[in-house]
Amino acid sequence: MNNEDQTTQDRIAASKAAYEARRMRVWTSYSDPAEFAEVKRAAKAAGLKPGEYLRAAERAYRQRRYMVPADIRQRLEALTTLLRNIATSLNQVARFTNTVQKKRGWLGKKPFDWREAEARVHELEREVKDFIRRPPEAGGP
């Protein structure tokens, strides 16, 4: 091997060593084939490789968050959109009601507080978003 080849080999070895120094690995193995198959199914359902899935699950556990499957996430986002639409509709009804009350002299005689209803819908939307982001507090692991 000539000097140039040795220099190239040394650079490659140094590059590999630097790469390995940056990588932190945890190895896991399953003795139960059914358990491993379950992890593979869950990873596939999440659209991830098993290692990526386990890393995401670990991160979600540490951060006390849910790993929400894509189909459920889409349904929850649709629910949030519907709640927002309800709040917008309530706001429009409240404005109309206030206009009618002012024109007919109903001031001070509100049969229903539309602003409170709208605030409750906004509160419900916030609770749904919080529930999506974080699991409810449990008694422990």
Side-chain angles (χ1 to χ4, degrees), residues 70-82:
D71 61 329
I72 293 175
R73 186 179 316 114
Q74 289 172 351
R75 291 169 57 197
L76 288 171
E77 287 171 2
L79 173 63
T80 301
T81 301
L82 290 174

Side-chain angles (χ1 to χ4, degrees), residues 27-85:
W27 297 95
T28 186
S29 62
Y30 293 91
S31 57
D32 181 3
E35 187 178 13
F36 182 64
E38 186 178 339
V39 170
K40 284 177 64 175
R41 271 193 304 277
K44 185 176 181 179
L48 301 170
K49 295 177 184 176
E52 293 169 344
Y53 175 78
L54 290 173
R55 197 168 34 257
E58 180 273 329
R59 190 177 315 112
Y61 178 80
R62 259 188 305 109
Q63 295 173 352
R64 300 185 53 82
R65 293 182 180 263
Y66 284 120
M67 283 184 56
V68 181
D71 61 329
I72 293 175
R73 186 179 316 114
Q74 289 172 351
R75 291 169 57 197
L76 288 171
E77 287 171 2
L79 173 63
T80 301
T81 301
L82 290 174
L83 287 171
R84 192 173 297 121
N85 292 343

Side-chain angles (χ1 to χ4, degrees), residues 6-127:
Q6 184 60 42
T7 304
T8 303
Q9 291 296 324
D10 290 344
R11 260 192 274 135
I12 291 171
S15 177
K16 284 182 181 179
Y19 172 78
E20 290 300 324
R22 287 191 312 266
R23 300 285 295 180
M24 289 160 255
R25 294 183 178 169
V26 174
W27 297 95
T28 186
S29 62
Y30 293 91
S31 57
D32 181 3
E35 187 178 13
F36 182 64
E38 186 178 339
V39 170
K40 284 177 64 175
R41 271 193 304 277
K44 185 176 181 179
L48 301 170
K49 295 177 184 176
E52 293 169 344
Y53 175 78
L54 290 173
R55 197 168 34 257
E58 180 273 329
R59 190 177 315 112
Y61 178 80
R62 259 188 305 109
Q63 295 173 352
R64 300 185 53 82
R65 293 182 180 263
Y66 284 120
M67 283 184 56
V68 181
D71 61 329
I72 293 175
R73 186 179 316 114
Q74 289 172 351
R75 291 169 57 197
L76 288 171
E77 287 171 2
L79 173 63
T80 301
T81 301
L82 290 174
L83 287 171
R84 192 173 297 121
N85 292 343
I86 290 169
T88 301
S89 297
L90 281 173
N91 191 32
Q92 291 170 353
V93 170
R95 286 182 182 174
F96 174 76
T97 302
N98 288 337
T99 302
V100 169
Q101 285 177 345
K102 287 177 185 175
K103 286 184 179 180
R104 296 200 177 167
W106 289 353
L107 293 174
K109 301 178 183 177
K110 291 184 180 180
F112 185 78
D113 188 355
W114 290 100
R115 288 184 183 149
E116 180 182 344
E118 182 182 18
R120 288 184 182 207
V121 170
H122 285 300
E123 180 181 343
L124 180 59
E125 181 181 354
R126 279 190 304 276
E127 287 181 17

